[in-house]
Amino acid sequence: MECRILSGIKPTGQLTLGNYIGALKNFKNFQDQGECFIFIADLHALTLPIEPDTLRTNSRDIAAFYLAAGLDPNRCNIFLQSHVSAHAELNAIMQNFLYMGELSRMTQFKEKSQKLNQEKIGLGLFAYPVLMASDILLYDATIVPVGDDQTQHVELTRDLAKRFNNRYGNVLVMPKAVVTKVGARIMSLSDPTKKMSKSDQKGDIYLKDNPNIIRKKIMSAVTDSESIVRFDRTNKPGISNLLTIYASIKEISIEEAEKNFINANYGTFKSAVADAVIEALEPFQKQYYEYLNSGYVDLVLEKGANRAREVSNATLKRVHDAVGLL
Ligand code: ATP
Ligand code: LTN
Protein backbone atom coordinates (compact mmCIF):
# COMPACT_ATOMS: atom_id res chain seq x y z
CA MET A 1 0.00 0.00 0.00
CA GLU A 2 1.28 3.48 -0.79
CA CYS A 3 1.86 5.62 2.28
CA ARG A 4 -0.75 8.00 3.61
CA ILE A 5 -0.12 11.58 4.68
CA LEU A 6 -2.49 13.49 6.91
CA SER A 7 -2.63 16.97 8.35
CA GLY A 8 -5.14 19.64 9.31
CA ILE A 9 -5.63 23.22 10.38
CA LYS A 10 -8.37 24.32 12.73
CA PRO A 11 -10.57 27.20 11.56
CA THR A 12 -10.25 29.24 14.75
CA GLY A 13 -9.24 32.55 13.16
CA GLN A 14 -7.51 34.30 10.30
CA LEU A 15 -4.57 32.24 9.07
CA THR A 16 -1.18 33.74 9.80
CA LEU A 17 2.22 33.73 8.18
CA GLY A 18 3.12 31.12 10.82
CA ASN A 19 0.44 28.76 9.48
CA TYR A 20 1.67 29.41 5.94
CA ILE A 21 5.34 28.75 6.63
CA GLY A 22 4.89 25.99 9.21
CA ALA A 23 2.10 24.12 7.46
CA LEU A 24 0.32 25.30 4.28
CA LYS A 25 3.32 26.01 2.11
CA ASN A 26 4.74 22.52 2.66
CA PHE A 27 1.61 20.47 2.10
CA LYS A 28 1.88 20.42 -1.69
CA ASN A 29 5.28 18.71 -1.50
CA PHE A 30 3.68 15.66 0.06
CA GLN A 31 1.27 15.06 -2.82
CA ASP A 32 3.81 12.99 -4.71
CA GLN A 33 4.78 10.91 -1.70
CA GLY A 34 1.52 9.04 -1.20
CA GLU A 35 -2.19 9.58 -0.75
CA CYS A 36 -2.80 12.90 1.01
CA PHE A 37 -5.61 13.76 3.40
CA ILE A 38 -5.56 17.43 4.29
CA PHE A 39 -8.57 18.52 6.26
CA ILE A 40 -10.19 21.41 8.10
CA ALA A 41 -10.38 20.59 11.81
CA ASP A 42 -13.74 22.27 12.39
CA LEU A 43 -14.70 20.07 15.36
CA HIS A 44 -11.44 21.14 16.98
CA ALA A 45 -12.38 24.78 16.46
CA LEU A 46 -15.30 24.28 18.86
CA THR A 47 -12.93 23.62 21.77
CA LEU A 48 -12.86 27.37 22.42
CA PRO A 49 -15.87 29.70 22.04
CA ILE A 50 -16.47 30.72 18.43
CA GLU A 51 -19.35 32.44 16.61
CA PRO A 52 -21.20 30.16 14.15
CA ASP A 53 -20.76 32.61 11.25
CA THR A 54 -17.08 32.98 12.00
CA LEU A 55 -16.62 29.23 12.01
CA ARG A 56 -18.43 28.90 8.67
CA THR A 57 -16.38 31.69 7.06
CA ASN A 58 -13.07 30.43 8.43
CA SER A 59 -13.77 26.88 7.28
CA ARG A 60 -14.39 27.89 3.64
CA ASP A 61 -11.40 30.22 3.85
CA ILE A 62 -9.05 27.40 4.78
CA ALA A 63 -10.35 25.25 1.93
CA ALA A 64 -9.63 28.09 -0.52
CA PHE A 65 -6.19 28.62 1.05
CA TYR A 66 -5.40 24.92 0.62
CA LEU A 67 -6.20 25.17 -3.08
CA ALA A 68 -4.23 28.42 -3.44
CA ALA A 69 -1.27 26.73 -1.76
CA GLY A 70 -1.15 24.23 -4.61
CA LEU A 71 -3.14 21.31 -3.24
CA ASP A 72 -4.66 19.49 -6.18
CA PRO A 73 -8.00 17.78 -5.45
CA ASN A 74 -7.02 15.02 -7.86
CA ARG A 75 -3.98 14.15 -5.80
CA CYS A 76 -5.09 15.25 -2.35
CA ASN A 77 -8.33 14.70 -0.43
CA ILE A 78 -9.47 17.99 1.07
CA PHE A 79 -12.40 17.72 3.46
CA LEU A 80 -14.13 18.96 6.59
CA GLN A 81 -13.64 16.89 9.74
CA SER A 82 -17.32 17.22 10.68
CA HIS A 83 -18.41 15.74 7.33
CA VAL A 84 -16.78 12.44 8.21
CA SER A 85 -18.53 10.98 11.23
CA ALA A 86 -15.85 8.35 11.84
CA HIS A 87 -13.74 11.06 13.54
CA ALA A 88 -16.27 11.52 16.33
CA GLU A 89 -16.91 7.77 16.51
CA LEU A 90 -13.26 6.77 16.85
CA ASN A 91 -12.87 9.58 19.38
CA ALA A 92 -15.53 7.93 21.56
CA ILE A 93 -13.52 4.72 21.61
CA MET A 94 -10.04 6.19 21.91
CA GLN A 95 -10.90 8.40 24.87
CA ASN A 96 -10.67 5.25 26.95
CA PHE A 97 -7.05 4.68 26.02
CA LEU A 98 -5.54 8.05 26.88
CA TYR A 99 -5.15 9.05 30.49
CA MET A 100 -6.08 12.28 32.25
CA GLY A 101 -2.54 12.58 33.60
CA GLU A 102 -1.13 12.54 30.07
CA LEU A 103 -3.68 14.99 28.75
CA SER A 104 -3.05 17.44 31.57
CA ARG A 105 0.65 17.60 30.61
CA MET A 106 0.01 18.82 27.05
CA THR A 107 1.58 22.23 26.49
CA GLN A 108 -1.21 23.43 24.21
CA PHE A 109 -3.80 22.58 26.86
CA LYS A 110 -1.79 24.30 29.59
CA GLU A 111 -1.34 27.45 27.50
CA LYS A 112 -4.92 27.69 26.31
CA SER A 113 -6.58 26.77 29.60
CA GLN A 114 -4.44 29.23 31.56
CA LYS A 115 -6.27 32.09 29.83
CA LEU A 116 -9.70 30.76 30.89
CA ASN A 117 -11.77 30.87 34.05
CA GLN A 118 -10.61 27.60 35.67
CA GLU A 119 -14.22 26.62 36.44
CA LYS A 120 -15.12 26.85 32.76
CA ILE A 121 -12.49 24.83 30.95
CA GLY A 122 -14.39 22.73 28.41
CA LEU A 123 -13.93 18.98 28.41
CA GLY A 124 -13.29 19.20 24.66
CA LEU A 125 -10.24 21.42 25.18
CA PHE A 126 -8.84 18.92 27.66
CA ALA A 127 -9.60 15.94 25.43
CA TYR A 128 -8.36 17.71 22.27
CA PRO A 129 -5.49 15.24 21.67
CA VAL A 130 -7.89 12.27 21.68
CA LEU A 131 -9.75 13.69 18.70
CA MET A 132 -6.48 14.61 17.02
CA ALA A 133 -5.16 11.08 17.53
CA SER A 134 -8.39 9.73 16.04
CA ASP A 135 -7.95 12.03 13.00
CA ILE A 136 -4.53 10.56 12.37
CA LEU A 137 -5.18 6.90 13.15
CA LEU A 138 -8.33 6.70 10.99
CA TYR A 139 -6.27 7.13 7.82
CA ASP A 140 -3.40 4.79 8.75
CA ALA A 141 -1.26 7.88 8.19
CA THR A 142 2.47 7.31 8.53
CA ILE A 143 3.44 10.93 7.80
CA VAL A 144 1.94 13.87 9.69
CA PRO A 145 3.36 17.23 8.56
CA VAL A 146 3.02 19.79 11.38
CA GLY A 147 4.70 22.78 12.97
CA ASP A 148 6.74 21.93 16.05
CA ASP A 149 3.98 22.96 18.49
CA GLN A 150 2.05 19.86 17.40
CA THR A 151 4.77 17.22 17.78
CA GLN A 152 3.75 16.56 21.38
CA HIS A 153 0.27 15.60 20.21
CA VAL A 154 1.67 13.29 17.54
CA GLU A 155 3.91 11.65 20.16
CA LEU A 156 0.86 11.04 22.30
CA THR A 157 -0.88 9.52 19.27
CA ARG A 158 2.05 7.13 18.93
CA ASP A 159 1.79 6.17 22.61
CA LEU A 160 -1.91 5.53 22.11
CA ALA A 161 -1.34 3.37 19.00
CA LYS A 162 1.27 1.33 20.85
CA ARG A 163 -0.97 0.88 23.89
CA PHE A 164 -3.93 -0.15 21.75
CA ASN A 165 -1.90 -2.57 19.62
CA ASN A 166 -0.36 -4.17 22.70
CA ARG A 167 -3.83 -4.91 23.96
CA TYR A 168 -5.57 -5.88 20.70
CA GLY A 169 -2.90 -6.90 18.17
CA ASN A 170 -1.69 -5.02 15.15
CA VAL A 171 -4.71 -2.82 14.47
CA LEU A 172 -3.40 0.75 14.27
CA VAL A 173 -0.65 2.12 12.06
CA MET A 174 2.17 4.04 13.77
CA PRO A 175 2.30 7.70 12.59
CA LYS A 176 5.30 10.03 12.60
CA ALA A 177 5.40 13.82 12.78
CA VAL A 178 7.38 15.51 10.02
CA VAL A 179 8.48 19.02 10.91
CA THR A 180 9.98 21.42 8.35
CA LYS A 181 13.65 22.19 8.93
CA VAL A 182 13.38 25.97 8.76
CA GLY A 183 10.26 27.78 9.90
CA ALA A 184 8.68 25.19 12.17
CA ARG A 185 8.02 27.95 14.69
CA ILE A 186 7.43 31.51 13.53
CA MET A 187 7.24 33.91 16.43
CA SER A 188 5.08 36.98 17.03
CA LEU A 189 6.52 40.21 15.57
CA SER A 190 5.61 42.17 18.68
CA ASP A 191 6.86 39.57 21.18
CA PRO A 192 9.35 37.24 19.48
CA THR A 193 9.45 34.94 22.50
CA LYS A 194 5.84 33.92 21.77
CA LYS A 195 4.51 31.81 18.89
CA MET A 196 2.67 33.68 16.14
CA SER A 197 -0.82 32.27 16.56
CA LYS A 198 -4.09 33.01 14.82
CA SER A 199 -6.08 33.19 18.02
CA ASP A 200 -3.69 35.72 19.51
CA GLN A 201 -3.78 38.70 17.17
CA LYS A 202 -0.98 40.99 18.30
CA GLY A 203 2.17 40.77 16.21
CA ASP A 204 0.64 38.56 13.55
CA ILE A 205 0.85 38.82 9.80
CA TYR A 206 -2.39 37.54 8.34
CA LEU A 207 -2.50 35.80 5.01
CA LYS A 208 -5.18 38.27 3.94
CA ASP A 209 -3.20 41.39 4.90
CA ASN A 210 -2.50 43.72 1.97
CA PRO A 211 1.11 44.59 0.99
CA ASN A 212 1.09 47.96 2.79
CA ILE A 213 0.00 46.41 6.07
CA ILE A 214 2.50 43.58 5.72
CA ARG A 215 5.32 46.07 5.14
CA LYS A 216 4.23 48.23 8.05
CA LYS A 217 4.07 45.25 10.42
CA ILE A 218 7.50 43.94 9.42
CA MET A 219 9.14 47.38 9.57
CA SER A 220 7.89 47.81 13.13
CA ALA A 221 8.83 44.30 14.31
CA VAL A 222 10.56 44.27 17.70
CA THR A 223 14.33 43.73 17.39
CA ASP A 224 17.36 44.67 19.55
CA SER A 225 20.01 47.37 19.67
CA GLU A 226 23.03 45.44 18.40
CA SER A 227 22.55 46.37 14.72
CA ILE A 228 24.06 43.16 13.41
CA VAL A 229 21.92 40.72 11.45
CA ARG A 230 22.82 37.35 12.89
CA PHE A 231 20.90 34.31 14.12
CA ASP A 232 20.81 33.93 17.89
CA ARG A 233 17.43 32.84 19.22
CA THR A 234 18.30 33.50 22.86
CA ASN A 235 19.83 36.95 22.63
CA LYS A 236 18.29 38.17 19.38
CA PRO A 237 14.84 36.56 19.13
CA GLY A 238 13.37 39.30 16.89
CA ILE A 239 16.15 39.28 14.28
CA SER A 240 16.31 35.47 14.40
CA ASN A 241 12.59 35.30 13.72
CA LEU A 242 12.87 37.64 10.72
CA LEU A 243 15.82 35.59 9.41
CA THR A 244 13.71 32.44 9.78
CA ILE A 245 10.83 34.06 7.89
CA TYR A 246 13.18 35.21 5.12
CA ALA A 247 14.98 31.87 4.83
CA SER A 248 11.81 29.81 4.72
CA ILE A 249 10.11 32.04 2.18
CA LYS A 250 13.22 32.04 -0.03
CA GLU A 251 13.76 28.34 0.65
CA ILE A 252 17.37 28.82 1.68
CA SER A 253 19.25 27.95 4.89
CA ILE A 254 19.55 30.38 7.81
CA GLU A 255 23.32 30.62 7.11
CA GLU A 256 22.68 31.68 3.52
CA ALA A 257 20.14 34.23 4.71
CA GLU A 258 22.66 35.66 7.19
CA LYS A 259 25.25 36.00 4.42
CA ASN A 260 22.87 38.17 2.39
CA PHE A 261 22.79 40.77 5.16
CA ILE A 262 26.36 40.87 6.49
CA ASN A 263 26.70 44.63 6.25
CA ALA A 264 23.03 45.57 6.20
CA ASN A 265 21.38 47.74 8.84
CA TYR A 266 18.07 46.67 10.35
CA GLY A 267 16.03 48.99 8.09
CA THR A 268 17.46 47.46 4.92
CA PHE A 269 17.11 43.97 6.32
CA LYS A 270 13.48 44.44 7.35
CA SER A 271 12.67 45.94 3.99
CA ALA A 272 14.11 42.87 2.24
CA VAL A 273 12.07 40.58 4.50
CA ALA A 274 8.93 42.57 3.67
CA ASP A 275 9.68 42.33 -0.08
CA ALA A 276 10.12 38.57 0.19
CA VAL A 277 6.89 38.04 2.11
CA ILE A 278 4.86 40.29 -0.19
CA GLU A 279 6.29 38.66 -3.29
CA ALA A 280 5.28 35.22 -2.00
CA LEU A 281 1.84 36.19 -0.71
CA GLU A 282 0.57 38.33 -3.59
CA PRO A 283 0.00 35.53 -6.14
CA PHE A 284 -1.17 33.25 -3.35
CA GLN A 285 -3.82 35.78 -2.26
CA LYS A 286 -4.98 36.30 -5.82
CA GLN A 287 -5.58 32.57 -6.22
CA TYR A 288 -7.27 32.36 -2.85
CA TYR A 289 -9.87 34.99 -3.85
CA GLU A 290 -10.45 33.29 -7.19
CA TYR A 291 -11.14 29.94 -5.52
CA LEU A 292 -13.25 31.46 -2.78
CA ASN A 293 -15.57 33.16 -5.26
CA SER A 294 -15.81 30.28 -7.70
CA GLY A 295 -18.12 27.80 -5.93
CA TYR A 296 -15.45 25.19 -6.63
CA VAL A 297 -14.63 24.87 -2.93
CA ASP A 298 -17.87 23.05 -2.07
CA LEU A 299 -17.32 20.52 -4.84
CA VAL A 300 -13.80 19.85 -3.65
CA LEU A 301 -14.99 19.35 -0.07
CA GLU A 302 -17.68 16.91 -1.16
CA LYS A 303 -15.28 14.81 -3.23
CA GLY A 304 -12.72 14.82 -0.43
CA ALA A 305 -15.26 13.73 2.19
CA ASN A 306 -16.42 10.82 0.03
CA ARG A 307 -12.95 9.34 -0.17
CA ALA A 308 -12.23 10.16 3.50
CA ARG A 309 -15.38 8.25 4.55
CA GLU A 310 -14.30 5.21 2.56
CA VAL A 311 -10.89 4.99 4.21
CA SER A 312 -11.92 5.98 7.72
CA ASN A 313 -14.92 3.64 7.89
CA ALA A 314 -12.67 0.71 7.06
CA THR A 315 -10.38 1.59 9.98
CA LEU A 316 -13.31 2.12 12.28
CA LYS A 317 -14.60 -1.35 11.39
CA ARG A 318 -11.20 -2.84 12.23
CA VAL A 319 -11.27 -1.11 15.61
CA HIS A 320 -14.87 -2.19 16.31
CA ASP A 321 -13.93 -5.79 15.57
CA ALA A 322 -10.81 -5.59 17.71
CA VAL A 323 -12.50 -4.25 20.83
CA GLY A 324 -15.58 -6.47 20.53
CA LEU A 325 -18.29 -4.11 19.33
CA LEU A 326 -20.91 -6.05 17.39
P1 ATP B 1 -4.53 28.67 17.41
O1 ATP B 1 -3.96 30.02 17.61
O2 ATP B 1 -5.99 28.65 17.18
O3 ATP B 1 -4.06 27.66 18.42
P2 ATP B 1 -2.54 28.19 15.43
O4 ATP B 1 -2.29 29.48 14.72
O5 ATP B 1 -1.52 27.71 16.38
O6 ATP B 1 -3.97 28.16 16.06
P3 ATP B 1 -3.23 25.69 14.21
O7 ATP B 1 -4.52 25.51 13.53
O8 ATP B 1 -3.10 25.16 15.58
O9 ATP B 1 -2.76 27.20 14.24
O10 ATP B 1 -2.07 25.11 13.34
C1 ATP B 1 -2.12 24.74 11.98
C2 ATP B 1 -0.74 24.35 11.56
O11 ATP B 1 0.08 25.51 11.51
C3 ATP B 1 -0.05 23.37 12.51
O12 ATP B 1 0.70 22.44 11.76
C4 ATP B 1 0.85 24.26 13.32
O13 ATP B 1 1.97 23.56 13.80
C5 ATP B 1 1.25 25.30 12.29
N1 ATP B 1 1.60 26.57 12.94
C6 ATP B 1 0.78 27.35 13.67
N2 ATP B 1 1.41 28.43 14.13
C7 ATP B 1 2.69 28.34 13.67
C8 ATP B 1 3.85 29.16 13.80
N3 ATP B 1 3.82 30.29 14.49
N4 ATP B 1 4.99 28.77 13.19
C9 ATP B 1 5.02 27.62 12.47
N5 ATP B 1 3.96 26.81 12.31
C10 ATP B 1 2.81 27.14 12.89
N1 LTN C 1 -4.05 20.16 16.43
C1 LTN C 1 -3.68 20.75 15.17
C2 LTN C 1 -4.76 20.65 14.13
C3 LTN C 1 -5.05 19.23 13.90
C4 LTN C 1 -4.19 18.28 13.28
C5 LTN C 1 -4.90 17.05 13.32
C6 LTN C 1 -2.93 18.36 12.70
C7 LTN C 1 -6.16 18.57 14.29
N2 LTN C 1 -6.09 17.27 13.94
C8 LTN C 1 -4.32 15.88 12.82
C9 LTN C 1 -2.38 17.18 12.19
C10 LTN C 1 -3.07 15.96 12.25
C11 LTN C 1 -3.34 22.17 15.46
O1 LTN C 1 -3.76 22.72 16.42
N3 LTN C 1 -2.58 22.69 14.60
Side-chain angles (χ1 to χ4, degrees), residues 21-23 25-26 29-30 145-148 178-185:
I21 292 175
K25 173 176 165 301
N26 313 311
N29 303 328
F30 290 96
V146 281
D148 79 348
V178 174
V179 181
T180 48
K181 280 198 199 77
V182 180
R185 183 173 289 242

Side-chain angles (χ1 to χ4, degrees), residues 12 52 80 130 136 214 238 284 297 310 316:
T12 41
L80 283 158
V130 183
I136 297 171
I214 294 176
F284 174 69
V297 166
E310 229 169 69
L316 192 60

Side-chain angles (χ1 to χ4, degrees), residues 44-60:
H44 275 114
L46 292 172
T47 54
L48 287 172
I50 184 164
E51 285 302 316
D53 276 342
T54 312
L55 179 54
R56 274 186 279 269
T57 308
N58 290 349
S59 298
R60 277 226 171 70

Side-chain angles (χ1 to χ4, degrees), residues 229 246 250 252 254-264:
V229 179
Y246 184 84
K250 292 278 187 191
I252 57 175
I254 297 281
E255 293 74 29
E256 282 174 272
E258 276 179 318
K259 274 190 208 137
N260 286 351
F261 301 104
I262 287 176
N263 291 316

Side-chain angles (χ1 to χ4, degrees), residues 5-9 36-42 59 62-63 66 76-85 87 135 138-139 297 300-309 312:
I5 298 123
L6 174 126
S7 195
I9 297 182
C36 273
F37 293 84
I38 303 288
F39 70 105
I40 298 144
D42 52 356
S59 298
I62 295 187
Y66 281 160
C76 172
N77 304 293
I78 301 174
F79 64 98
L80 283 158
Q81 186 183 30
S82 63
H83 283 184
V84 182
S85 58
H87 290 250
D135 299 337
L138 275 176
Y139 298 89
V297 166
V300 168
L301 291 175
E302 194 184 319
K303 177 170 183 272
N306 285 337
R307 173 66 183 148
R309 281 187 207 108
S312 58

